[in-house]
Amino acid sequence: MVWNDGGGIITFKRVYLTSEHLDSKVFFSEARVALSIKFFVPEIEKLKRMIHEEELITKQWSLQLEELNKRLRTEIAEKEDILIVNITDTYRSLPAKLLKFYQWLYFNHEFSYILKTDDDSLINIDQLLQKLLEDSQFDPTKAWIWSRFRKNWPVNYIGKWADYDYQSPYYPTFPCGAAYVISQKIALWLISNAELLYTYQGEDVSMGIWLSAINTNFIEDDHFECNRECKPQSYNRAQLSPNEIQEIWSSFEKCQNLCSCK
């Protein structure tokens, strides 16, 4: 096993001389780090069985991936609603994938605004469009982003959202990923600078960091929902299961309300 190559059980990222992150340094091979690690495997028999059946499990997983790929290709051919960009699809690659989508959009479509949402969200498109068309502040030639925003959000140094690259202890204002709209001008700036923009740990915090470099108008609107909450005038519902999406959409078609028809 190659030590500390990022592919093993433990990888050192930073060296902390004190408890303050800003006092830490990027790990370097000459660093002398004293530590003791003990592993405990609670289900040894299950682990042995997995090792014994590794070849079968790997084959089954490969078949699942093949089936998923076929279903995706079928969906794309029938609905034309999925874009596959040339990038390894991992959580950490989401910011880069977002930029590649904007670049594809620029070369394939004319647009005034771009709505970004998550695949576990539902959007009241008509309500958003009506607001965009009626409100003069949504000029596509101006630099703005419309959403509900996270402010003074602390940087995580452990776990899924750990960020070892951003140097401030707090992120600049960034949009809730469940739904936000950017103007054409913002999109064109992102596209023009895509090769220079550093991709941080998540696409939403990356967007906030990128836009902090220019004089962006952050248009706050609490009708955007960041989580499972819902109000009668909400533009979106977030963090839904596939079954919930189907149920809520069926209800929405009847009464044009994402919360309920009551």
Side-chain angles (χ1 to χ4, degrees):
M1 181 179 72
V2 178
W3 173 249
N4 206 51
D5 68 342
I9 296 174
I10 291 178
T11 300
F12 288 111
K13 291 290 189 178
R14 303 189 71 84
V15 178
Y16 285 79
L17 305 178
T18 71
S19 60
E20 295 296 324
H21 178 72
L22 294 181
D23 293 335
S24 66
K25 299 179 180 179
V26 175
F27 180 83
F28 51 99
S29 58
E30 292 78 19
R32 299 292 184 263
V33 181
L35 74 161
S36 177
I37 301 172
K38 181 179 180 180
F39 294 98
F40 173 69
V41 181
E43 298 177 310
I44 294 179
E45 293 305 318
K46 185 176 180 179
L47 180 60
K48 289 180 179 179
R49 187 165 60 253
M50 287 182 63
I51 294 173
H52 180 70
E53 299 174 354
E54 180 180 2
E55 184 176 349
L56 176 61
I57 293 172
T58 301
K59 185 176 181 180
Q60 290 175 338
W61 178 242
S62 296
L63 291 173
Q64 288 183 35
L65 291 179
E66 288 179 14
E67 177 61 25
L68 177 60
N69 187 53
K70 288 180 182 178
R71 291 172 62 186
L72 283 172
R73 297 295 177 183
T74 300
E75 172 80 10
I76 293 170
E78 293 180 355
K79 308 293 185 180
E80 297 183 348
D81 59 350
I82 297 175
L83 172 67
I84 297 179
V85 296
N86 185 25
I87 195 170
T88 302
D89 197 3
T90 65
Y91 179 78
R92 293 281 169 166
S93 68
L94 283 176
K97 186 164 68 170
L98 187 68
L99 291 173
K100 285 187 176 293
F101 166 70
Y102 290 158
Q103 290 173 315
W104 175 87
L105 199 63
Y106 174 75
F107 289 109
N108 290 275
H109 293 278
E110 293 184 3
F111 61 88
S112 297
Y113 326 98
I114 299 176
L115 164 68
K116 181 268 180 185
T117 186
D118 290 337
D119 61 4
D120 62 355
S121 297
L122 273 177
I123 306 290
N124 188 335
I125 295 291
D126 290 339
Q127 189 178 8
L128 281 178
L129 283 175
Q130 182 179 358
K131 184 76 172 177
L132 285 167
L133 295 173
E134 292 179 352
D135 196 324
S136 60
Q137 69 179 326
F138 296 120
D139 182 346
T141 66
K142 305 296 184 182
W144 53 261
I145 179 170
W146 177 34
S147 185
R148 199 170 184 173
F149 299 97
R150 309 283 195 187
K151 300 174 182 177
N152 300 316
W153 200 266
V155 175
N156 285 311
Y157 303 121
I158 58 173
K160 176 182 178 181
W161 295 285
D163 193 331
Y164 305 106
D165 299 317
Y166 191 65
Q167 294 303 301
S168 172
Y170 296 93
Y171 288 118
T173 299
F174 65 92
C176 286
Y180 63 78
V181 182
I182 60 173
S183 66
Q184 180 193 66
K185 184 167 185 176
I186 288 291
L188 294 179
W189 183 84
L190 292 169
I191 293 162
S192 299
N193 294 280
E195 301 305 319
L196 299 174
L197 295 173
Y198 189 82
T199 54
Y200 293 88
Q201 63 84 11
E203 77 274 26
D204 302 322
V205 298
S206 291
M207 179 64 73
I209 295 167
W210 298 335
L211 297 188
S212 68
I214 58 177
N215 188 25
T216 304
N217 181 15
F218 290 82
I219 303 174
E220 181 89 40
D221 193 330
D222 62 7
H223 291 107
F224 285 100
E225 302 297 346
C226 299
N227 48 42
R228 293 179 61 85
E229 294 179 1
C230 187
K231 299 183 291 291
Q233 298 302 314
S234 293
Y235 300 136
N236 67 299
R237 291 284 301 272
Q239 299 178 359
L240 303 173
S241 69
N243 287 338
E244 286 175 322
I245 288 176
Q246 291 181 334
E247 292 172 3
I248 294 170
W249 182 252
S250 296
S251 174
F252 178 77
E253 288 185 310
K254 298 175 183 177
C255 62
Q256 299 300 298
N257 190 314
L258 288 174
C259 296
S260 69
C261 289
K262 296 180 181 179

